[in-house]
Amino acid sequence: MKSKAKKKTKSLLALLKTFETDTIEYKEAKAALPQNIWKTISAFANAKGGVVVLGVKQEKNKLLKQGLKNPQKIIDDLISTISEKFNFCPVVKPEILKEENKYFVTVEVEEALKYEKPIYIKDAGPLKGGYKRVGSVNQRLTDKDLQKYFQERLASPDAQILKDSDFSDVDKKTVTAFKEMRKLQKEDAEELRLKGEELLKAYNMLSKDSKHLTIAGALLFAKANTIKRFFPHFRLDIIRIKGIEWGKDKDPFLSTDLTGNLIYIRNQALDIINRFYLTPFKLDKNLTRVGDDPFKKALREALSNLLMHQNYFHPSPSQIRIYNDRIEFYNPGYSLKNPDEYEVPGSELRNALIAKAFYDLGWAETKGTGFRTAILSLETAGYPPAIWKNDEKNDTFTIVFPYPTPQVTAQVTAQVTAQVELRDRIAKLLKFCEEPRSLKEMMHFLGLKHRVYFLKDILQPLLKEGHLARTIPEKPRSRFQKYVTIREKR
C-alpha cells in the first residue's frame, strides 16, 4: 500500500512540469478555495476526469509555483461544500503535496457515471452551471450536449459497470439465499438451475465479458466491505424515538444501523419492523385490539420501495423512524412518478435491474400496483391515510404512516401509552432472545418482577403466535428451559 501511494504522489508531482491540458488545470488559490474551481470540477466530471492543482499559476509559457498558505483549510472547505454544490456529488480526491518547502493541493476528479451526467452547479442549472472540457478550456454545455447526456441516461443507472469489481466480490451465501427465496415464489424457475456466475449474468448483474459487477449486482449480492467501498454513504438507519418529535429520546437498544447488500438489509429490516408491530395498535370503538395485516402489508411495500427506488449516490443514508404516533420512511431519491398519478397502475423505475430481482422474490408487484393496493388502500381498511412529501430539489421522498388516533380521553391516553410501552417491551425481548434466554434472564432484562403478568401478557402470546420457541419443547417445565426468537417466514 505504501509503495502504491508513493508512486501516485510522484506522478502528481510530475504534473507540475507540464502545461494545462484536457485533464490538468492550475489555479492560484493563495489562501482560500477559488470559486471558479466548480466550473473545472463540472467539466472534468462530465469528460474523462482530471486533476486540478492549487497553488500554481500558469502565465504564458511559465508555471509559477506560488504555494498555499493553508492547504488543509482549502481541502476542508472543498469537502464541506461540494456535496451541496452540484446536482450529483462528483467523486474528488484531494491531497496535500510539498515541494521546495511550499505546499500545494491536488484535486483528482473522477469521471461521473452516465446516470449522473451532466454534472452541473445546482443553483445555476444545467445550461448555465454545466461545463465540458475542450482542450485546456472549460466551456458551457450546449442544448446538444444536454440532449446527448439525457439520452445516455435512459439506460438504467443500476446497469452501469463497476470497473474495479469482479465476481470474487460476490457473497456466496447471498446467492444461495436468493435462490431459496426465489424457489418459494416459483419452484420450477429456470434460473434455479444456474450456478452463481450464470445466475448473475441472467439477471444482467455482470458485464458482458463477465469480468465486472453491475451496480445492481453489487448492491444485491456483494459482500459488506465491497458495498462500503463503492457506496460509502449507503446504509439503512432504523431509529426508535420514544416521543413524537425528531431528536427526542432515541432508544439506543431498539435503534440500529444496517449495512451490507440489499437482500440482507431487507430481511433484517423486515424482522425489526415486524417485532414492533406484533401487538396490533388499531383500536375499535370499544378500544379492543384488532388485526393489523393491511398496515403491515403497507409497511412491507414502503420498505421495498425505499430500497428499490433509492438514489444510491445520494450523500445521506435511508432511514426508518419509529415514533409513538407514526412510522416514517425517508428515501434519498425523489419519486420519479408524479405523486398525483399514484392511483394509476405502473411505475417509473430508477433501478430497473434491482426492481426485476425484487419482483421475482415477491417483494414488489410487477405491474407497479403495489403502492396503490398496499398503501393507498389503507384508508379503505380503516387506517389513517399515508402522507408523503416528494422533494425533487433535495432529491428525497418521505412517506409517513400515522397510527390510528381514537378520540382523546384520559382513559384512552393511558391505554395507548400502555400499548406503546408493551410494543417496545416485546421488540426489545425479541431482540434480546436472538440468543436463547431463560425465564429469569428475560424478566430481569425487562425489569419485571410480576411473573404472572409476564407469562400471561408477554411470554404466552409470543409462544402461541410462533414468535418465540422453547429450546426444550418436549419438556415445557424443564428447569433448563430457554426461549429463542423465531424469524418470520417470508
Side-chain angles (χ1 to χ4, degrees):
M1 290 296 289
K2 288 183 179 179
S3 59
K4 188 176 180 180
K6 282 185 178 180
K7 186 176 180 181
K8 179 182 176 184
T9 301
K10 286 181 180 179
S11 65
L12 291 174
L13 287 171
L15 295 176
L16 302 177
K17 297 179 174 62
T18 63
F19 294 113
E20 289 184 339
T21 67
D22 59 340
T23 58
I24 303 171
E25 181 157 310
Y26 301 106
K27 293 189 181 297
E28 200 168 353
K30 292 182 180 179
L33 186 69
Q35 289 306 301
N36 60 1
I37 193 175
W38 308 121
K39 296 179 181 180
T40 306
I41 290 176
S42 168
F44 281 161
N46 288 326
K48 297 181 179 180
V51 178
V52 185
V53 184
L54 303 180
V56 178
K57 181 180 180 182
Q58 181 171 322
E59 193 173 82
K60 295 183 179 180
N61 295 324
K62 293 182 179 180
L63 290 179
L64 304 179
K65 303 175 185 178
Q66 299 169 325
L68 303 171
K69 292 182 179 179
N70 195 341
Q72 187 58 55
K73 182 179 184 302
I74 288 176
I75 288 181
D76 292 343
D77 290 344
L78 173 71
I79 297 302
S80 63
T81 307
I82 193 168
S83 63
E84 298 296 327
K85 199 72 179 178
F86 295 96
N87 57 321
F88 283 99
C89 183
V91 177
V92 297
K93 300 174 182 177
E95 184 179 357
I96 297 174
L97 301 179
K98 186 177 181 182
E99 186 179 279
E100 298 174 0
N101 293 320
K102 292 181 180 179
Y103 289 98
F104 304 88
V105 168
T106 59
V107 182
E108 185 180 352
V109 183
E110 291 189 4
E111 179 181 1
L113 296 170
K114 289 182 180 179
Y115 164 63
E116 299 172 314
K117 294 180 182 179
I119 299 294
Y120 57 85
I121 299 168
K122 195 189 307 183
D123 291 341
L127 270 176
K128 293 184 178 180
Y131 293 83
K132 61 183 178 180
R133 193 73 172 177
V134 180
S136 60
V137 179
N138 301 323
Q139 291 186 359
R140 275 186 176 153
L141 297 177
T142 64
D143 287 326
K144 191 174 181 179
D145 292 324
L146 293 178
Q147 184 179 8
K148 181 194 73 171
Y149 286 131
F150 289 128
Q151 284 177 342
E152 291 176 346
R153 271 193 182 190
L154 293 177
S156 179
D158 60 349
Q160 304 298 319
I161 305 299
L162 295 175
K163 294 181 180 178
D164 292 333
S165 68
D166 56 46
F167 191 73
S168 67
D169 290 312
V170 171
D171 180 33
K172 294 180 181 179
K173 291 182 179 179
T174 301
V175 175
T176 300
F178 178 88
K179 293 176 75 171
E180 290 174 351
M181 289 184 288
R182 177 63 178 139
K183 188 175 182 180
L184 293 176
Q185 296 297 314
K186 189 177 180 181
E187 287 189 7
D188 59 346
E190 292 183 7
E191 58 269 23
L192 293 176
R193 295 191 291 271
L194 301 176
K195 295 181 180 180
E197 196 167 332
E198 296 171 334
L199 177 70
L200 265 68
K201 196 152 189 180
Y203 276 93
N204 294 317
M205 304 283 178
L206 284 177
S207 59
K208 290 182 180 180
D209 58 10
S210 299
K211 290 183 178 181
H212 309 292
L213 296 175
T214 61
I215 287 175
L219 286 169
L220 280 162
F221 294 103
K223 301 170 185 175
N225 58 351
T226 300
I227 300 287
K228 188 175 182 180
R229 175 158 54 98
F230 287 109
F231 308 96
H233 298 293
F234 172 57
R235 68 174 192 270
L236 173 58
D237 298 343
I238 300 181
I239 307 168
R240 170 67 180 110
I241 301 168
K242 301 183 75 172
I244 60 174
E245 296 180 21
W246 172 254
K248 299 286 185 180
D249 299 323
K250 175 182 173 182
D251 188 320
F253 186 80
L254 290 176
S255 300
T256 186
D257 300 341
L258 298 177
T259 58
N261 61 52
L262 293 180
I263 292 175
Y264 170 81
I265 285 180
R266 202 264 185 184
N267 286 334
Q268 291 294 111
L270 193 58
D271 276 337
I272 293 169
I273 292 171
N274 284 338
R275 292 172 189 179
F276 277 102
Y277 302 114
L278 295 178
T279 51
F281 44 79
K282 183 174 183 291
L283 309 175
D284 64 13
K285 294 180 181 179
N286 299 317
L287 297 179
T288 302
R289 287 181 271 164
V290 296
D292 66 337
D293 286 346
F295 189 85
K296 290 177 73 173
K297 182 180 178 182
L299 299 190
R300 287 194 295 271
E301 179 67 21
L303 174 61
S304 291
N305 282 339
L306 180 147
L307 296 175
M308 189 167 59
H309 299 303
Q310 188 172 153
N311 173 7
Y312 288 99
F313 300 96
H314 198 285
S316 67
S318 51
Q319 293 184 340
I320 298 175
R321 308 158 183 160
I322 303 172
Y323 293 87
N324 284 1
D325 63 343
R326 67 194 185 279
I327 178 171
E328 298 180 354
F329 291 75
Y330 165 80
N331 190 354
Y334 72 92
S335 174
L336 298 180
K337 185 173 182 178
N338 187 336
D340 295 335
E341 299 177 357
Y342 282 161
E343 285 281 4
V344 181
S347 61
E348 298 289 336
L349 299 177
R350 176 175 276 117
N351 302 298
L353 299 184
I354 292 173
K356 174 66 168 66
F358 272 41
Y359 296 148
D360 282 357
L361 294 176
W363 292 354
E365 296 189 23
T366 54
K367 295 181 180 179
T369 58
F371 200 98
R372 179 168 59 93
T373 59
I375 295 176
L376 297 183
S377 62
L378 274 177
E379 194 170 6
T380 305
Y383 292 85
I387 306 162
W388 55 81
K389 180 182 179 182
N390 192 35
D391 187 345
E392 291 190 29
K393 181 180 179 182
N394 294 306
D395 195 22
T396 64
F397 179 81
T398 304
I399 185 166
V400 181
F401 297 93
Y403 302 158
T405 52
Q407 185 178 0
V408 178
T409 66
Q411 180 186 6
V412 169
T413 300
Q415 291 190 16
V416 170
T417 300
Q419 197 171 51
V420 170
E421 291 176 354
L422 177 60
R423 195 169 70 234
D424 276 2
R425 278 179 176 170
I426 289 176
K428 285 184 175 180
L429 184 64
L430 290 175
K431 182 176 180 180
F432 181 67
C433 288
E434 289 177 352
E435 298 290 334
R437 309 289 185 178
S438 67
L439 185 67
K440 184 178 180 181
E441 287 174 324
M442 294 159 70
M443 291 184 64
H444 178 74
F445 171 73
L446 293 178
L448 297 176
K449 296 182 179 179
H450 200 296
R451 184 185 177 93
V452 174
Y453 162 76
F454 176 73
L455 292 174
K456 181 182 176 183
D457 287 21
I458 298 179
L459 183 59
Q460 292 300 334
L462 290 177
L463 288 169
K464 183 178 180 181
E465 294 169 16
H467 303 302
L468 279 179
R470 295 181 177 90
T471 56
I472 314 176
E474 68 277 8
K475 296 181 180 180
R477 297 182 180 276
S478 170
R479 63 190 181 94
F480 301 109
Q481 189 67 260
K482 291 190 177 183
Y483 303 84
V484 65
T485 298
I486 302 299
R487 294 187 63 174
E488 183 174 301
K489 292 182 179 179
R490 298 289 177 256

